[in-house]
Amino acid sequence: MQWVKVLGLGLGAAALLGLGIILGHFAIPKGADAPAPSTSVLQDLDLELLKAVMGQLDARKIRESLWELSRQPHLASSPRDEALVQLLLSRWRDSESGLDSAERTEYEVLLSFPSQEQPNLVEVVGPTGDILHTYHPNEENVTGEQGGPDVVQPYAAYAPPGTPQGLLVYAYQGKEEDFRELQEQGINLEGTIALTRYGGAGRGDKAVNAAKYGVAGVLVYTDPMDVNDGQSLPSQTFPNSWGLPPSGVERGSYYKYFGDPVTPYLPAHHSSFRVDHSNASGFPPIPAQPIGFQDAKDLLCNLNGTLAPSAWQGALGCEYRLGPGFRSSGSLPDGSQVKMSVYNRLELRNSSNVLGIIRGAVEPDRYVLYGNHRDSWIHGAVDPSSGTAVLLEISRVLGTLLKKGTWRPRRSIVFASWGAEEFGLIGSTEFTEEFFSKLQERTVAYINVDVAVMANATLRVLGTPPVQSVVFSATKEIDSPGPSGLSIYDNWKRHFNRSSPVYGTVPSLGSLGAGSDYAPFIHFLGISSVDMTYTYDRSKTSARIYPTYHTAFDTFDYMEKFLDPGFSSHQAVAQTAGNVLLRLSDSLFLPLNVSDYSEVLHSFLRAAQQELGNLLQQHNISLGPLVTAVEKFAVAASALDQHVSAQRKGSPDPLQVRMFNDQLMLLERAFLNSRAFPEERYYSHVLWAPHSSSVATFPGLANAYYRAKDTDAGSEAWAEVQRQLSIVVAALEGATATLRPVAEL
Amino acid sequence: MQWVKVLGLGLGAAALLGLGIILGHFAIPKGADAPAPSTSVLQDLDLELLKAVMGQLDARKIRESLWELSRQPHLASSPRDEALVQLLLSRWRDSESGLDSAERTEYEVLLSFPSQEQPNLVEVVGPTGDILHTYHPNEENVTGEQGGPDVVQPYAAYAPPGTPQGLLVYAYQGKEEDFRELQEQGINLEGTIALTRYGGAGRGDKAVNAAKYGVAGVLVYTDPMDVNDGQSLPSQTFPNSWGLPPSGVERGSYYKYFGDPVTPYLPAHHSSFRVDHSNASGFPPIPAQPIGFQDAKDLLCNLNGTLAPSAWQGALGCEYRLGPGFRSSGSLPDGSQVKMSVYNRLELRNSSNVLGIIRGAVEPDRYVLYGNHRDSWIHGAVDPSSGTAVLLEISRVLGTLLKKGTWRPRRSIVFASWGAEEFGLIGSTEFTEEFFSKLQERTVAYINVDVAVMANATLRVLGTPPVQSVVFSATKEIDSPGPSGLSIYDNWKRHFNRSSPVYGTVPSLGSLGAGSDYAPFIHFLGISSVDMTYTYDRSKTSARIYPTYHTAFDTFDYMEKFLDPGFSSHQAVAQTAGNVLLRLSDSLFLPLNVSDYSEVLHSFLRAAQQELGNLLQQHNISLGPLVTAVEKFAVAASALDQHVSAQRKGSPDPLQVRMFNDQLMLLERAFLNSRAFPEERYYSHVLWAPHSSSVATFPGLANAYYRAKDTDAGSEAWAEVQRQLSIVVAALEGATATLRPVAEL
């Protein structure tokens, strides 16, 4: 009975609170509720305004913001990270250049840090058990910015603590096949320490693969061949070039999934249910530690055993051998072992997103999202502050127009500064979990600019097909930095292009993996997304990423001296992203070209027919229904696109515009199936889920196919191939149904 | 390489086809695409027209339709079922009273039938093994309509074939606790045949529970106490009263889930992946067969053993004993056994839905769905033809207005005639699988009228809270049949009412289980749904359902003589359903009252606090976050409702109306979580999923609680309670976010 009383009181209080809130709500007039001026209901994108905005995006302002953002390390949940939350709030609440509103949302998430007291160590232990050598626990303080308490030592986030010790082996990139190769070479991996290098496999995968073979601990280094085009001398590297210094170490998350590891599918509020840390899946099974190539060289060049395959060789200036152990002729005594001491700790920390909103004048319930993460490993001038500086410049220019009263977008614009991305896209994922329905119903697209500039050669874009056209429109209007005189579009096309059966040679968009905060939006929510960055000329360098990635050498000076002097590339990215943002928010008809999905579907289908077709046929699995589904989709999509262009020329009714736009906006949603591959946490998009094979085709089908490949006819695995085929066919048919005239089935 | 050629050709052909279709598409102008007359864009429900429609719904026409629909048996996938498909198509394509379009969609689904050659039998086998007695394989041909090849013999659909034989026991309703009781009475159930009666547990559950205790076969009968108020003589039953004759047998599906059993989550197209029948889950584990009470009496009244509990007694005119076996003093020799011979077969059959569409004038992309199943067990005059006759009358009246050009609804109306409902809501479920995205994005509500009339005392309504207000509005306007002079609303309130803290005494809506085709719409798609029927006075009969339910005695004469002479109750249901349909399709603002959800949430919360609160507290599980979430929801919902009423009085902009309506329409969607209880196939609505307990509260929480109740603190089961609590809190918070002003987080 007591509960009733308690509730009674609760209700009474709540009723009052409710009344108060309701009164407050109605007392404060909201522009969203005042009728939009009917003149603007059918207004299309204002090209003059667009041009004006392009002109106001200022390289110097971007430079100033970048300096402020990157002058101190701002690791997720650190005091400086909080200071930047305040910086963003103040910018977005500025009376002259701010937005309609700005607020923070805070989550309590599980992060991983090295111990302050006991730094992680890598040591050589002699046959008699005494420590012969201890490697650098930290990067060398080359520019005065690599030291101090705020510079987190190199570590493998989420790798478990432990002090494994054993003979060293060299396992190349730590791929499954690399360890198999060692085993086939007759090397007993049980209890060994595996030295691997970045690239080839995901960070965490190296440890997962190693553990399968009994390896006790994993070291990871960056080979100069992979980022420095072979250059490894101090004189050849930062601060003398953009190259990675010998002591530089790439930090990173070794967690397999994304989002807060202990609140899958639930927003990580204080009261949310949390999986017991020991039951949490996706953490590396064994200790791991990244090291610099100067230390890797000392280990690798002393290895014993057979010569590693030529593909495994690198630029450390010696022959790479496989081990196990060190050779007597080297500088490390025969029989000595490597000892790793990892003291990483899991900690629940508060991490915040900052959201800034410009309310739409006509369709406030349609959102164009634009975001980047805020947290960095150290100073993060490139990653992510170059993107945040661009974000701040775009919001400054639009905020200024807004405060002047000269402009308000048709749709709402939501700017986001995500927390704890480096640990696994945590802030953005929690946001999509908290506002799942609201975002799925209303979001037009998500624009992500993380590393805005890692070099000054060309734009690079990842995205889903519907955004291709709007990115093309934007980039054709903007000059690329530098003397070329080319548009960003033409310059981009020189570096990344493909031959399209529909358009001829065009710049090629890459597909969206899980490399940044767009992942939960495209894979979990089915929201059309785009990611852009300015990058280098792949004909001039073979670097797999900019050399100082995730190191203490990613600083403002590094950016200004070696990546983007004058910040013209930053400006170019701001103009491109800003242009895309305005087109999405202000165009009467959404500039999403759904028929561009047909090209991808045809190529996926072609690949499936060529790569999987014969064996499928042998197992009496017909791709016929898939062929039909793709064709029907192509017909419906092109009919809708033509329909929209016809409408554009006519005098459409506002509700009809909305109707067509809803079809365009929601197409991506129709490809979601949360039951398609539940084992792939969050991945629900049947066209973009991860798949093991290199064949660019339907992921569920491909995964099932390669699992079934070597099993007998009639196996469960072949049944799963059938099921995955039906899943993708059903998704395509369901999507096609949403594209047809709305009063038809 | 050959694939490329094949594809090349395929593409060429497809391109031509595509072009053709596109041209065709643009050649044929579609009203949906022509701008709606701007005058109508803000037009609200026309009350004059509504009144006119009410007046045109004609009892005689309903009677004529019912006669045509029910004059022959029309079991799912039978020739007569196909004939009715044609009837519906012709009615909906009629040039004077038809709709804009009508089409069939066909699925290939797994049904279950008794063998034509070998009828299922129940026999008594003497101690020496010879057959002493064979019970009636069919119902008695009392009115000339119970005979013939189209009258499917009584059977338990999806029960496996088999010929179990053993001593008979009486297991009351076949609930888990009923078998436990028998076991506690020291009865060895291994290898027995259990005689159970309908009620208490689902059909299939009786067999599932029995199998757990080693029972070999299950018989199910209808006790006269449960449907006939005890009357069992031929003179007291049909054709002399509405009572079930002694030979009457309730058929039904014994399948646990709904939808086609072998294509879960996929539309059952010819090419769709099918689970191997042997791997399909949800079928009864042991043979089952329903029998009439005249045969049950012969078995039950001869049983040996101890007297059954008083609650287990019935109206067969003897003392019910538990068995096992027959007593020597009876008419069946001591030691004789019961033999069941079940020859049911699973068959893939084609089953069709028929869809009829009236295109909306202003918002054609918003759908109001109205449906009923078409298939019956035999003649099915009550179930489902009374509902189909009402459906045809409503579509006739609206179609006539449409063809006259005097009316077109604001939103699209989709009429549906579902196939194979009796086997497990198969047609409607396949429809929701095929058009999942399209329906989720655009459907305002689903109206279901299955059994329109099972008696003439009162309306009975099941539905989700948002539809309560529109059903109230409709029923207040319509006179109830008979002399009472009361409105349907007031009459309904006399029979089913509750005391609402907000409204005082109001008619009470029941909650939606899985009793008819609304199930996939509310549970799988999260679409607000309502189900209505005219039923009997529970103070005058204790019948659990109308007596001839699922028997060959459910005929036109039965309806006309005993249930609805004059068809005034049919007319009342047609007026009620038609009124609700028009209000949903023509009102400017959707008549969905989202704040009515708050009442349910508060009562769920109160129940959770009262029933689960103490033990949760002991396990340090706080309901605090749930209390807060419910309060926040209530505040946001009532703010939105007030906001809408304010708008209604003002001069709203069409896009703003759409914006508010989208919030109202999509609220129900926000309660879906496909990951909440994956074991409950299709059930994704966190508020309406099935739960074992009798406490009306949050189902996921309750289920987890009762599973955890007797486990130790810190068990997995208690962790699941925590998780389920967070799931419902997150759902409420997510739903609340969709109700807030759209440009706020």
Side-chain angles (χ1 to χ4, degrees), chain A residues 3 7 14 22 25 30 33 273 367 438 442 609 631 638 656 658 674-675 684 726 737-738 741-742 744, chain B residues 3 7 14 22 25 30 33 273 367 438 442 606 609 631 638 656 674-675 684 726 737-738 741-742 744:
Chain A
W3 277 116
L7 184 75
I22 293 160
H25 177 75
K30 293 200 176 58
D33 315 327
F273 167 70
Y367 310 144
K438 188 169 188 161
R442 304 175 188 171
Q609 290 170 313
E631 290 316 323
S638 107
Q656 287 182 294
R658 170 86 169 200
S674 62
R675 296 170 174 92
S684 311
S726 286
T738 69
V742 295
E744 298 175 17
Chain B
W3 277 115
L7 183 77
I22 293 161
H25 176 75
K30 292 199 179 57
D33 315 325
F273 167 71
Y367 311 144
K438 187 170 189 160
R442 304 174 189 172
R606 209 152 34 235
Q609 290 170 315
E631 288 318 322
S638 109
Q656 288 182 295
S674 62
R675 296 170 175 92
S684 309
S726 285
T738 69
V742 296
E744 297 176 17

Side-chain angles (χ1 to χ4, degrees), chain B residues 551-563:
Chain B
T551 72
F553 302 100
D554 176 352
T555 61
F556 181 84
D557 285 352
Y558 180 80
M559 172 66 81
E560 186 160 45
K561 285 210 185 74
F562 300 107
L563 305 192

Side-chain angles (χ1 to χ4, degrees), chain A residues 407-421:
Chain A
W407 167 83
R408 179 173 290 285
R410 177 181 184 86
R411 306 180 181 88
S412 293
I413 293 174
V414 180
F415 290 106
S417 170
W418 310 119
E421 186 266 3

